[in-house]
Each structure stands twice: as C-alpha cells, then as structure tokens.
C-alpha cells in the first residue's frame, strides 16, 4: 500500500534598516515520509517463499517481507545584504547554509522470504558565502566578487543478506 506524508514551508523577510542597506532572510523546510510501492516480481519458484510462489505470473501482485520506506528532510537558511556605498558602487553579500538527509529501505530480493534487505542513507551539509562589488559608472560597468562553497556528504549503503540454508 502506497502512503506518503509530505510537508514544506518557505518564508522570506525583507528589512530596510537604513536608506542604503537592504537585508533579506530566506528560510525553507520540507520533509517526507513515504511507504513505497513495489514492482519486482518473482519469476521462478523459491522453496523459501510460498506466498511469492503463489503469485508467479500475476503481475498485479507482489510479495515482500519488509515495508519499503523513504524518509527525507531538507532545510536551509540564507541571508542577503545589499549595501549602496554611493551612487556608483554597491556591495552584496550572500551567506547560506543547507542541510538534507534521506533514508531509504527496500526489500531487494523480491520475495516474501527474509533473504535480502537494502538500506541507503545520506546526509549533506553545505555552506556558501558570496561577496560582490558592483560598479556602475558612466563609462564602466562591472562586477568583482569572491565565492566560497563547502559541502560535507556522508553516504551509507547496506545490504543485509540472510545466511544460506545450506550452511
């Protein structure tokens, strides 16, 4: 049975503390928790999977022994400052942090027997900083800037396999 719960939120706040300074804060958040549909089908009989054996050839049905699920969570915050130094020169700063994660659980043997289950999970953290100096003169227009980006991602991939009945 497929079932999903998802939620999200996005917000932005703009503040003008002085006539030459603008500050914009942006936030976003989303999460999901799903029970997934399954599409693998048993094509040949297995001595360990009587339920799977009973639906061979019926591609409308599947048999699994582990609920399939996917959980996600993402959020981020960004701060932008725009400062007009004078009529021709402006400074812009963009700072952001983002974090995301997911956890996926699958019954990868395609039968109702507890033979093989796989899990994949990932967490990511990102930080960025951008500075721009914008020039807007009569005979010259230009942008000079610097950008920094850092990303740390941790990934997990596991497969659990039951011991052989021969051992």
């Amino acid at each position: 049975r497929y079932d999903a719960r998802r939620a999200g939120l996005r917000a932005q706040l703009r503040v003008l503390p002085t006539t030459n300074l603008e500050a914009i804060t942006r936030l976003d958040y989303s999460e999901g928790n799903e029970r997934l549909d399954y599409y693998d089908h048993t094509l040949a009989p297995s001595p360990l999977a009587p339920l799977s054996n009973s639906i061979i050839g019926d591609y409308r049905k599947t048999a699994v022994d582990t609920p399939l699920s996917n959980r996600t969570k993402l959020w981020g915050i960004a701060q932008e400052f725009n400062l007009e130094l004078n009529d021709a020169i402006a400074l812009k700063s963009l700072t952001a942090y983002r974090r995301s994660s997911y956890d996926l659980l699958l019954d990868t043997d395609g039968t109702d027997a507890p033979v093989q289950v796989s899990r994949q999970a990932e967490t990511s953290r990102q930080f960025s900083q951008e500075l721009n100096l914008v020039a807007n003169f009569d005979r010259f227009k230009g942008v000079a800037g610097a950008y920094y980006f850092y990303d740390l991602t941790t990934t997990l991939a596991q497969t659990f396999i039951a011991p052989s009945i021969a051992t």
Side-chain angles (χ1 to χ4, degrees), residues 39-107:
Y39 297 102
D40 281 352
H41 299 282
T42 304
L43 301 176
S46 167
L48 299 175
L51 181 58
S52 297
N53 293 341
S54 71
I55 60 171
I56 290 177
D58 185 347
Y59 295 103
R60 298 169 294 147
K61 297 179 182 176
T62 60
V64 294
D65 63 294
T66 302
L68 314 176
S69 65
N70 185 29
R71 291 182 183 87
T72 59
K73 187 180 289 188
L74 305 104
W75 65 270
I77 183 168
Q79 182 64 55
E80 177 180 340
F81 289 106
N82 296 298
L83 177 63
E84 287 186 22
L85 299 173
N86 58 41
D87 289 342
I89 299 177
L91 182 65
K92 176 183 269 196
S93 170
L94 294 166
T95 306
Y97 180 79
R98 175 160 295 288
R99 185 169 179 155
S100 63
S101 64
Y102 75 88
D103 194 343
L104 179 66
L105 184 65
L106 299 171
D107 182 344

Side-chain angles (χ1 to χ4, degrees), residues 11-162:
Q12 178 172 301
L13 175 65
R14 180 177 181 241
V15 178
L16 302 169
T18 65
T19 57
N20 65 335
L21 178 61
E22 173 187 52
I24 302 171
T25 304
R26 296 176 180 95
L27 301 161
D28 66 87
Y29 177 85
S30 69
E31 68 177 34
N33 188 355
E34 301 176 71
R35 298 236 3 218
L36 304 174
D37 281 334
Y38 196 73
Y39 297 102
D40 281 352
H41 299 282
T42 304
L43 301 176
S46 167
L48 299 175
L51 181 58
S52 297
N53 293 341
S54 71
I55 60 171
I56 290 177
D58 185 347
Y59 295 103
R60 298 169 294 147
K61 297 179 182 176
T62 60
V64 294
D65 63 294
T66 302
L68 314 176
S69 65
N70 185 29
R71 291 182 183 87
T72 59
K73 187 180 289 188
L74 305 104
W75 65 270
I77 183 168
Q79 182 64 55
E80 177 180 340
F81 289 106
N82 296 298
L83 177 63
E84 287 186 22
L85 299 173
N86 58 41
D87 289 342
I89 299 177
L91 182 65
K92 176 183 269 196
S93 170
L94 294 166
T95 306
Y97 180 79
R98 175 160 295 288
R99 185 169 179 155
S100 63
S101 64
Y102 75 88
D103 194 343
L104 179 66
L105 184 65
L106 299 171
D107 182 344
T108 48
D109 62 72
T111 71
D112 60 305
V115 176
Q116 182 172 307
V117 175
S118 295
R119 178 179 176 221
Q120 183 175 348
E122 185 173 285
T123 300
S124 178
R125 295 174 184 90
Q126 299 175 342
F127 174 80
S128 65
Q129 174 64 56
E130 180 178 348
L131 292 172
N132 292 325
L133 185 63
V134 180
N136 190 8
F137 296 100
D138 290 337
R139 300 190 66 183
F140 175 78
K141 294 181 184 355
V143 176
Y147 181 73
Y148 173 79
F149 179 77
Y150 175 78
D151 177 51
L152 175 64
T153 300
T154 305
T155 303
L156 170 71
Q158 295 176 314
T159 298
F160 304 98
I161 300 174

